[in-house]
Amino acid sequence: MIDTIIIGAGPAGLTAAIYCLRNGLDVVIFDKNIYGGQVAITNEIENYPAIQKISGVEFSNSLYNQVISLGGKFIFEEIVSVNFSKNKKTVFTSEKEYTSKTVIIATGAKRRHLNCEGEDRLIGRGVSYCATCDGAFFKNKTVCVVGGGNTALEDCLFLSNICKKVNLIHRRDSFRAEKSLSNLVKSKKNINILYNSTVKKINGEKTVSSILIEDLVKKDSYELKTDAIFIAIGLEPDTMMFKNILDMDNNNYLISNENCTTNIDGVYVAGDCRSKLLRQIVTASSDGAISAFQVSKYLY
């Protein structure tokens, strides 16, 4: 039986793996796609202590290689269900089942959708949730970004260096992002800010051609031509497989205190899927370390 199964290979899960492995535990890390989580699709990281600037890919690779060097095992299969009994924890993939003594849940969060007409139909054809992944396809073209937080403004700045024009659409009259980011966005000549506005529809046959915008102040709508729309309106936790098993808050984040415990003994939670005040790489890593400490204490 495995000592610890870690579900999720982002900074929280990988940090937990490092600490568990250094404590001599047998560790298997699961992820359905690739290691790194949201960090892997982040252009640049500038707020991690002692690292002035690093790309998300480089940061993810460093974490992954550190886990591998310590003997960590990765399985890239999607977990479809779990069974957390008192004496053993079982996770089920489409391939097989795996059993462990403890589990650390670090599934993170995924990009929230607008849920407007045309969005799902045009994903990958001008609708994107990752500016750093898809921005290069729209070099010297006009694009839109939706959102008002750090991610949206970072996307705008990244795209402004590639695209001819960037329209930033935000439903409020001020940003929720850090002031330094807001100032940078406002200083860019090719970024046009549309406050108090929402996207009602995304138009296009084979690719995005325009969007329908509602002005929340004037109470009218108008069409805006664009070659792409990048949606950055926040995250939602990837936790639904744990519904009716683990306690969640009203937004489906797993309820835990600073000890990263859950309502089931031997099951811990770390990172962006946890109900908490701040979701950053540094807090995800902190959760990973704490949850690993809790696992070691539980086992020994």
Side-chain angles (χ1 to χ4, degrees), residues 206-222:
K206 295 182 178 180
T207 61
V208 171
S209 60
S210 68
I211 58 176
L212 183 66
I213 293 179
E214 180 182 0
D215 187 314
L216 299 176
V217 175
K218 296 179 180 178
K219 305 295 183 184
D220 63 5
S221 300
Y222 61 95

Side-chain angles (χ1 to χ4, degrees), residues 40 59 61 71 173 237 248 268:
F59 187 87
N61 284 341
D173 59 3
M248 300 181 182
Y268 306 93

Side-chain angles (χ1 to χ4, degrees), residues 2-297:
I2 303 164
D3 286 330
T4 306
I5 282 176
I6 298 174
I7 307 175
L14 296 181
T15 303
I18 291 167
Y19 276 74
C20 285
L21 290 162
R22 287 174 60 85
N23 284 336
L25 302 180
D26 179 32
V27 178
V28 177
I29 306 103
F30 283 83
D31 203 289
K32 60 184 175 182
N33 293 316
I34 192 171
Y35 57 86
Q38 292 289 330
V39 174
I41 57 172
T42 300
N43 182 39
E44 288 185 343
I45 299 164
E46 296 182 323
N47 60 354
Y48 197 85
I51 300 175
Q52 289 187 353
K53 184 182 290 188
I54 189 171
S55 73
V57 171
E58 187 180 357
F59 187 87
S60 300
N61 284 341
S62 294
L63 274 174
Y64 172 79
N65 290 332
Q66 189 173 1
V67 173
I68 291 293
S69 72
L70 292 169
K73 305 177 188 72
F74 285 83
I75 297 177
F76 291 104
E77 296 176 14
E78 182 176 7
I79 294 175
V80 294
S81 63
V82 298
N83 184 2
F84 296 152
S85 66
K86 182 177 181 180
N87 297 321
K88 67 177 183 179
K89 322 299 178 190
T90 306
V91 302
F92 301 88
T93 73
S94 56
E95 307 277 331
K96 56 191 296 190
E97 64 182 65
Y98 302 84
T99 303
S100 66
K101 300 172 186 175
T102 60
V103 168
I104 297 173
I105 297 167
T107 49
K110 54 190 176 183
R111 296 289 180 93
R112 186 174 284 118
H113 288 213
L114 287 172
N115 296 319
C116 69
E117 184 180 344
E119 180 179 10
D120 291 344
R121 182 174 58 84
L122 292 167
I123 289 176
R125 294 185 288 167
V127 172
S128 174
Y129 304 88
C130 179
T132 55
C133 306
D134 301 326
F137 295 117
F138 303 96
K139 185 177 181 179
N140 297 324
K141 294 188 176 182
T142 297
V143 300
C144 291
V145 174
V146 184
N150 283 353
T151 300
L153 271 61
E154 286 168 355
D155 286 353
C156 274
L157 291 170
F158 174 77
L159 292 167
S160 69
N161 295 321
I162 300 172
C163 304
K164 179 175 66 176
K165 184 177 181 180
V166 180
N167 290 298
L168 174 56
I169 302 163
H170 183 41
R171 61 181 178 174
R172 296 189 175 92
D173 59 3
S174 61
F175 296 124
R176 293 175 287 110
E178 295 171 3
K179 189 173 181 179
S180 58
L181 280 174
S182 299
N183 291 338
L184 276 172
V185 165
K186 292 172 184 177
S187 70
K188 283 277 188 173
K189 293 182 178 179
N190 64 334
I191 295 179
N192 176 46
I193 303 171
L194 303 171
Y195 294 109
N196 300 307
S197 300
T198 60
V199 177
K200 305 302 291 181
K201 182 181 179 183
I202 302 173
N203 301 311
E205 292 297 323
K206 295 182 178 180
T207 61
V208 171
S209 60
S210 68
I211 58 176
L212 183 66
I213 293 179
E214 180 182 0
D215 187 314
L216 299 176
V217 175
K218 296 179 180 178
K219 305 295 183 184
D220 63 5
S221 300
Y222 61 95
E223 187 176 0
L224 179 68
K225 290 188 176 181
T226 187
D227 296 296
I229 178 169
F230 294 88
I231 299 164
I233 56 172
L235 302 171
E236 54 189 3
D238 195 359
T239 58
M240 294 315 293
M241 80 173 82
F242 310 112
K243 199 167 185 67
N244 301 321
I245 299 173
L246 297 176
D247 292 341
M248 300 181 182
D249 64 16
N250 292 333
N251 294 311
N252 297 322
Y253 287 95
L254 297 174
I255 294 174
S256 173
N257 57 24
E258 293 303 310
N259 292 326
C260 296
T261 55
T262 69
N263 57 295
I264 296 180
D265 289 344
V267 177
Y268 306 93
V269 57
D272 286 1
C273 61
R274 183 171 80 83
S275 179
K276 57 197 291 187
L277 177 64
L278 181 65
R279 294 182 177 86
Q280 293 284 297
I281 301 170
V282 70
T283 61
S285 295
S286 174
D287 285 354
I290 292 168
S291 60
F293 172 78
Q294 295 284 26
V295 162
S296 297
K297 190 168 72 169

